[in-house]
Structure formats: structure tokens, C-alpha cells
Amino acid sequence: QMQLVESGGGLVQPGGSLRLSCAASGFTLDNYAIGWFRQAPGKEREGVSCISVRNTSTHLADSVKGRFTISRDDDKNTVYLQMNGLKPEDTAVYYCATPHVMLLPCGLQDYEYDYWGQGTQVTVSS
């Protein structure tokens, strides 16, 4: 069974940094795209970043460009989201997700993904 587990969330002051991890179990990540999404209270879920297989492409939402970086370590079966320059508006539950089909290029629309982690809370506040 394909499972994803996020970790690394927490409380951080504005301007601070966090690194989120998305660890896969039950399958190997190297043939799958991974997306990061977030959902703030009262708002729709939005795509933040994604990475295709073998790092062939990455995408970032305009709201996080220049501050967030996505990477993958297939040896560790993990994808990371490095978040720098955090702002209060980044506060949300962050989810990682993967599609059922291997080798698809990644995108930032949630309908492209089939398996989701449980989420990790990120709170940016002074």
C-alpha cells in the first residue's frame, strides 16, 4: 500500500525557515512525481511545489518562488520542501501527494494526485 508521511512542521517566527519531509512507504519514490500542497483554515487547498521523476522538472507557485525549494533523495525515499523567508500567510497544513501512475510529469493541481499524506502543521507567527 502506497503511503506518504509528512514531518518537519512547527511554529516559526516570520522570516524563519523550516524543512518539510515527505517519506514514502510501500513503494519507491524514484518513478513517481511528488507534489506539495497546503490548506489554510477557510481556504481551498493550493499547490505549492512539485517535482518530477529524476528531477526532470520542478514547479513552484508564484507565492513561494524565491523562498521555497523542492528536492528529492530517492536513496532515502524522501522528498523535501525547504521553506525560507516564511510569512504569516504561509501558515497552513502542508500535504505531500503522489499520483497512482508512474513517470507522469508533475503539476500543481490536486486532481492530478491520488495518494495523500496526513499533513503537517506549519504556523508562522511572532
Side-chain angles (χ1 to χ4, degrees):
Q1 183 178 1
M2 298 173 72
Q3 289 187 328
L4 298 169
V5 178
E6 304 92 339
S7 62
L11 173 64
V12 63
Q13 292 186 343
S17 297
L18 285 173
R19 188 178 77 160
L20 304 184
S21 298
C22 173
S25 63
F27 70 107
T28 54
L29 272 179
D30 54 357
N31 285 326
Y32 292 87
I34 295 291
W36 280 100
F37 293 78
R38 66 186 181 186
Q39 188 165 22
K43 294 188 177 181
E44 292 186 354
R45 185 165 56 193
E46 64 169 333
V48 175
S49 185
C50 70
I51 187 165
S52 299
V53 298
R54 305 182 187 95
N55 296 317
T56 50
S57 66
T58 61
H59 298 287
L60 289 166
D62 289 342
S63 58
V64 304
K65 282 180 180 176
R67 301 188 297 123
F68 290 12
T69 305
I70 191 170
S71 62
R72 62 190 302 153
D73 186 337
D74 290 336
D75 290 339
K76 295 184 178 179
N77 224 27
T78 301
V79 171
Y80 303 98
L81 184 68
Q82 179 67 43
M83 307 187 297
N84 299 327
L86 283 162
K87 304 175 181 180
E89 51 264 43
D90 294 318
T91 296
V93 178
Y94 283 71
Y95 302 89
C96 63
T98 191
H100 177 71
V101 180
M102 292 189 294
L103 302 178
L104 287 177
C106 76
L108 294 180
Q109 302 299 318
D110 56 6
Y111 62 76
E112 299 175 85
Y113 296 85
D114 302 293
Y115 299 98
W116 295 78
Q118 83 291 347
T120 185
Q121 176 70 47
V122 172
T123 303
V124 185
S125 175
S126 55

